[in-house]
Amino acid sequence: MTVLIHDNGESTPAGSLYLEPKTTTSIEELKSAVGLVIDACHGGTCRVFDRYGYEIKALGALHDEQLLFAVPPNRHFVWPAFEIGHRVAVPGVTSSLPGHPIFLETLSDSPRVFLVENFLSAEDADEVIETTLGITAAGFALKRSTTGTQGAVVSSHRTSENAFDTTSPVAMKLKRRVFDLLGMRWDGLQVLRYNASKAYIPHMDYLEFDSNADHNFDSASPGGTNRFATVLLYLTDVEEGGETVFPLGEPLEKETRTTQEIQAEARARGRAADLTPGSWEEEMTETCISRLAVKPQKGRAVLFYSQNPDGTPDERSLHGACPVVKGVKWAANLWVWNGPRFGHSATSPAKEAEGKIQAVFSSAVEGVALYWETTRWGKMGPGEAELKAMTYQGHKWNVRRDEGEEQGAVLASWTIEAEKAEDGVIQYRYEG
Ligand SMILES: O=C(O)CCC(=O)C(=O)O
Ligand SMILES: [Fe+2]
């Protein structure tokens, strides 16, 4: 039997494996074999998923020509885009309409954007709005939206209102469903209202690395977490405007109009009528009708990723909310993180921040690799670039043999000691 091995989130295989039923007898052997195809899975460290996001737990479930997706340790399964218009019924996630599955339809592969159909029923959408209007607690009730991580800042670049629904049964149900769709953790359900002309300037949901000293937002580093994906639920239809726009995404129908034609169409549709001339909202209207834009439709959702599968920020995930022209737009945001928002393992964020250190690793010896605990970090040797990582007091890094019979054997271990850092940087060199 032959299986095709894909890197996490990739639409084309990195290689294939022939599995001999007699010799490949355990999942561990499958994982080791995957490690031969995918560098980041060296030594069998990756989990293996099918194309629907289910982890392969038994070899009996495999079939010939099956696509397998290798997910490195500390990373999450990312839906592959395949091609624009590709539709997949998501198994195992409850939809709003019994008998009608949730469909993911690929809108763009970079940025990685999917339309989610049948995500919530009209009743669910109405209930979220009703519940939101009834929230009175300070800090949760509907009020002008803010931006930033260092305390809330009212910004002229985000003119909607929002509320947080952290407790209602319908919010819990929808959060669980998003969790099922992605298999991860979430922020609260942020409910948004955009009245006429209200909008949100194009931005990234990913938070800046240095936006808050108490948290490691570098999601590609050990223990670092940040917003990973966003599922935006549309709670109402909007007559005109209010699209979620991805300025770096290709529109589904290739744009052939000239700038003048686009501007004329914007005027004809009343797009900029209520907007201040020269404002960012007015400037945005052109992007809204010429780039990848998802029209709000009650019961639908849009899923997009803010991180690449390796945890680095995807700068192409830039998006915004187009000014509402006619009607009121209600939507709800779920920001999903790649790991806990507040702290991780047993240590508090404040404690973590104290020991936050940049480490630089190198080796005078060939044929070795650096590991964080059991996570492969990269190859080291005289001909290789230094490896850098944001790490913390007490983290353990290992040098392992990377070839030959003793592959995987630990040759040296370093435990990060904050007092050895100079200006926040520690150098480690393996001399053999
Ligand atoms: O309302 C929208 O379409 C987008 C909202 C958004 O990007 C956000 O709240 O982060
Ligand atoms: Fe956003």
PDB file of all heavy atoms in Angstrom, residues 6 75 192 230 241 291 294 340 358 367 371 405 417 428:
ATOM      1  N   HIS A   6       2.138  14.489   3.315  1.00  0.00           N
ATOM      2  CA  HIS A   6       2.120  15.944   3.155  1.00  0.00           C
ATOM      3  C   HIS A   6       2.689  16.607   4.405  1.00  0.00           C
ATOM      4  O   HIS A   6       2.455  16.154   5.513  1.00  0.00           O
ATOM      5  CB  HIS A   6       0.681  16.455   3.019  1.00  0.00           C
ATOM      6  CG  HIS A   6      -0.002  16.048   1.763  1.00  0.00           C
ATOM      7  ND1 HIS A   6      -0.555  16.965   0.909  1.00  0.00           N
ATOM      8  CD2 HIS A   6      -0.242  14.828   1.219  1.00  0.00           C
ATOM      9  CE1 HIS A   6      -1.111  16.334  -0.113  1.00  0.00           C
ATOM     10  NE2 HIS A   6      -0.938  15.029   0.053  1.00  0.00           N
ATOM     11  N   ARG A  75       2.661  21.705  17.281  1.00  0.00           N
ATOM     12  CA  ARG A  75       1.939  22.386  16.209  1.00  0.00           C
ATOM     13  C   ARG A  75       0.552  21.755  16.110  1.00  0.00           C
ATOM     14  O   ARG A  75       0.298  20.706  16.687  1.00  0.00           O
ATOM     15  CB  ARG A  75       2.679  22.259  14.871  1.00  0.00           C
ATOM     16  CG  ARG A  75       4.112  22.799  14.910  1.00  0.00           C
ATOM     17  CD  ARG A  75       4.216  24.254  14.439  1.00  0.00           C
ATOM     18  NE  ARG A  75       3.569  25.210  15.307  1.00  0.00           N
ATOM     19  CZ  ARG A  75       4.208  25.978  16.213  1.00  0.00           C
ATOM     20  NH1 ARG A  75       5.502  25.892  16.382  1.00  0.00           N
ATOM     21  NH2 ARG A  75       3.529  26.838  16.949  1.00  0.00           N
ATOM     22  N   LEU A 192     -19.947  41.407  17.535  1.00  0.00           N
ATOM     23  CA  LEU A 192     -19.680  42.714  16.927  1.00  0.00           C
ATOM     24  C   LEU A 192     -20.924  43.280  16.284  1.00  0.00           C
ATOM     25  O   LEU A 192     -21.681  42.548  15.646  1.00  0.00           O
ATOM     26  CB  LEU A 192     -18.646  42.544  15.805  1.00  0.00           C
ATOM     27  CG  LEU A 192     -17.265  42.059  16.208  1.00  0.00           C
ATOM     28  CD1 LEU A 192     -16.573  41.451  15.001  1.00  0.00           C
ATOM     29  CD2 LEU A 192     -16.456  43.220  16.758  1.00  0.00           C
ATOM     30  N   THR A 230      -8.840  32.460  13.049  1.00  0.00           N
ATOM     31  CA  THR A 230     -10.055  33.192  13.409  1.00  0.00           C
ATOM     32  C   THR A 230     -11.228  32.537  12.706  1.00  0.00           C
ATOM     33  O   THR A 230     -11.139  32.233  11.511  1.00  0.00           O
ATOM     34  CB  THR A 230      -9.958  34.664  12.947  1.00  0.00           C
ATOM     35  OG1 THR A 230      -8.822  35.260  13.588  1.00  0.00           O
ATOM     36  CG2 THR A 230     -11.206  35.450  13.320  1.00  0.00           C
ATOM     37  N   GLY A 241     -22.304  46.267   1.509  1.00  0.00           N
ATOM     38  CA  GLY A 241     -21.111  46.543   2.314  1.00  0.00           C
ATOM     39  C   GLY A 241     -20.944  45.532   3.437  1.00  0.00           C
ATOM     40  O   GLY A 241     -21.644  44.518   3.494  1.00  0.00           O
ATOM     41  N   ARG A 291     -10.878  43.166  -4.291  1.00  0.00           N
ATOM     42  CA  ARG A 291     -10.017  42.098  -3.764  1.00  0.00           C
ATOM     43  C   ARG A 291     -10.880  40.991  -3.151  1.00  0.00           C
ATOM     44  O   ARG A 291     -12.115  41.095  -3.154  1.00  0.00           O
ATOM     45  CB  ARG A 291      -9.034  42.670  -2.722  1.00  0.00           C
ATOM     46  CG  ARG A 291      -8.163  43.796  -3.247  1.00  0.00           C
ATOM     47  CD  ARG A 291      -7.304  43.378  -4.428  1.00  0.00           C
ATOM     48  NE  ARG A 291      -6.391  42.314  -4.075  1.00  0.00           N
ATOM     49  CZ  ARG A 291      -5.778  41.515  -4.968  1.00  0.00           C
ATOM     50  NH1 ARG A 291      -5.994  41.684  -6.264  1.00  0.00           N
ATOM     51  NH2 ARG A 291      -4.969  40.576  -4.575  1.00  0.00           N
ATOM     52  N   VAL A 294     -15.460  38.487   1.521  1.00  0.00           N
ATOM     53  CA  VAL A 294     -16.507  37.531   1.864  1.00  0.00           C
ATOM     54  C   VAL A 294     -17.734  38.313   2.305  1.00  0.00           C
ATOM     55  O   VAL A 294     -17.663  39.130   3.218  1.00  0.00           O
ATOM     56  CB  VAL A 294     -16.046  36.578   2.993  1.00  0.00           C
ATOM     57  CG1 VAL A 294     -17.119  35.547   3.293  1.00  0.00           C
ATOM     58  CG2 VAL A 294     -14.728  35.907   2.614  1.00  0.00           C
ATOM     59  N   PRO A 340      -2.354  27.894  25.364  1.00  0.00           N
ATOM     60  CA  PRO A 340      -3.057  28.722  26.349  1.00  0.00           C
ATOM     61  C   PRO A 340      -2.656  30.185  26.261  1.00  0.00           C
ATOM     62  O   PRO A 340      -1.476  30.501  26.098  1.00  0.00           O
ATOM     63  CB  PRO A 340      -2.636  28.131  27.686  1.00  0.00           C
ATOM     64  CG  PRO A 340      -2.163  26.765  27.369  1.00  0.00           C
ATOM     65  CD  PRO A 340      -1.649  26.773  25.969  1.00  0.00           C
ATOM     66  N   GLN A 358      17.178  34.904  25.145  1.00  0.00           N
ATOM     67  CA  GLN A 358      17.495  34.499  23.772  1.00  0.00           C
ATOM     68  C   GLN A 358      18.700  33.551  23.853  1.00  0.00           C
ATOM     69  O   GLN A 358      19.715  33.904  24.455  1.00  0.00           O
ATOM     70  CB  GLN A 358      17.826  35.748  22.965  1.00  0.00           C
ATOM     71  CG  GLN A 358      18.683  35.500  21.749  1.00  0.00           C
ATOM     72  CD  GLN A 358      17.906  35.640  20.452  1.00  0.00           C
ATOM     73  OE1 GLN A 358      17.424  36.708  20.126  1.00  0.00           O
ATOM     74  NE2 GLN A 358      17.784  34.547  19.732  1.00  0.00           N
ATOM     75  N   GLY A 367      27.088  16.399  12.164  1.00  0.00           N
ATOM     76  CA  GLY A 367      26.187  15.250  12.352  1.00  0.00           C
ATOM     77  C   GLY A 367      25.407  15.258  13.652  1.00  0.00           C
ATOM     78  O   GLY A 367      25.041  14.206  14.170  1.00  0.00           O
ATOM     79  N   TYR A 371      17.648  19.764  20.010  1.00  0.00           N
ATOM     80  CA  TYR A 371      16.266  19.459  20.389  1.00  0.00           C
ATOM     81  C   TYR A 371      15.882  20.267  21.607  1.00  0.00           C
ATOM     82  O   TYR A 371      16.685  20.436  22.529  1.00  0.00           O
ATOM     83  CB  TYR A 371      16.099  17.966  20.752  1.00  0.00           C
ATOM     84  CG  TYR A 371      16.021  17.061  19.550  1.00  0.00           C
ATOM     85  CD1 TYR A 371      17.152  16.803  18.773  1.00  0.00           C
ATOM     86  CD2 TYR A 371      14.813  16.456  19.206  1.00  0.00           C
ATOM     87  CE1 TYR A 371      17.069  15.977  17.668  1.00  0.00           C
ATOM     88  CE2 TYR A 371      14.729  15.622  18.103  1.00  0.00           C
ATOM     89  CZ  TYR A 371      15.860  15.386  17.334  1.00  0.00           C
ATOM     90  OH  TYR A 371      15.766  14.569  16.253  1.00  0.00           O
ATOM     91  N   GLU A 405      24.223   4.798  13.434  1.00  0.00           N
ATOM     92  CA  GLU A 405      23.563   3.797  14.274  1.00  0.00           C
ATOM     93  C   GLU A 405      22.986   4.386  15.557  1.00  0.00           C
ATOM     94  O   GLU A 405      21.939   3.963  16.012  1.00  0.00           O
ATOM     95  CB  GLU A 405      24.579   2.711  14.657  1.00  0.00           C
ATOM     96  CG  GLU A 405      24.969   1.827  13.488  1.00  0.00           C
ATOM     97  CD  GLU A 405      24.927   0.366  13.877  1.00  0.00           C
ATOM     98  OE1 GLU A 405      25.623   0.026  14.842  1.00  0.00           O
ATOM     99  OE2 GLU A 405      24.197  -0.398  13.222  1.00  0.00           O
ATOM    100  N   GLU A 417      20.048  28.685  32.366  1.00  0.00           N
ATOM    101  CA  GLU A 417      20.260  29.344  33.660  1.00  0.00           C
ATOM    102  C   GLU A 417      20.345  30.846  33.395  1.00  0.00           C
ATOM    103  O   GLU A 417      21.314  31.328  32.806  1.00  0.00           O
ATOM    104  CB  GLU A 417      21.556  28.868  34.300  1.00  0.00           C
ATOM    105  CG  GLU A 417      21.523  27.404  34.680  1.00  0.00           C
ATOM    106  CD  GLU A 417      22.899  26.911  35.100  1.00  0.00           C
ATOM    107  OE1 GLU A 417      23.349  27.307  36.190  1.00  0.00           O
ATOM    108  OE2 GLU A 417      23.526  26.161  34.320  1.00  0.00           O
ATOM    109  N   TYR A 428      25.462  28.791  23.575  1.00  0.00           N
ATOM    110  CA  TYR A 428      25.850  27.418  23.892  1.00  0.00           C
ATOM    111  C   TYR A 428      26.552  26.832  22.685  1.00  0.00           C
ATOM    112  O   TYR A 428      26.068  26.946  21.565  1.00  0.00           O
ATOM    113  CB  TYR A 428      24.629  26.554  24.210  1.00  0.00           C
ATOM    114  CG  TYR A 428      23.946  26.914  25.509  1.00  0.00           C
ATOM    115  CD1 TYR A 428      22.820  27.717  25.513  1.00  0.00           C
ATOM    116  CD2 TYR A 428      24.438  26.444  26.721  1.00  0.00           C
ATOM    117  CE1 TYR A 428      22.189  28.062  26.688  1.00  0.00           C
ATOM    118  CE2 TYR A 428      23.818  26.777  27.916  1.00  0.00           C
ATOM    119  CZ  TYR A 428      22.692  27.583  27.897  1.00  0.00           C
ATOM    120  OH  TYR A 428      22.062  27.916  29.056  1.00  0.00           O
TER     121      TYR A 428
END
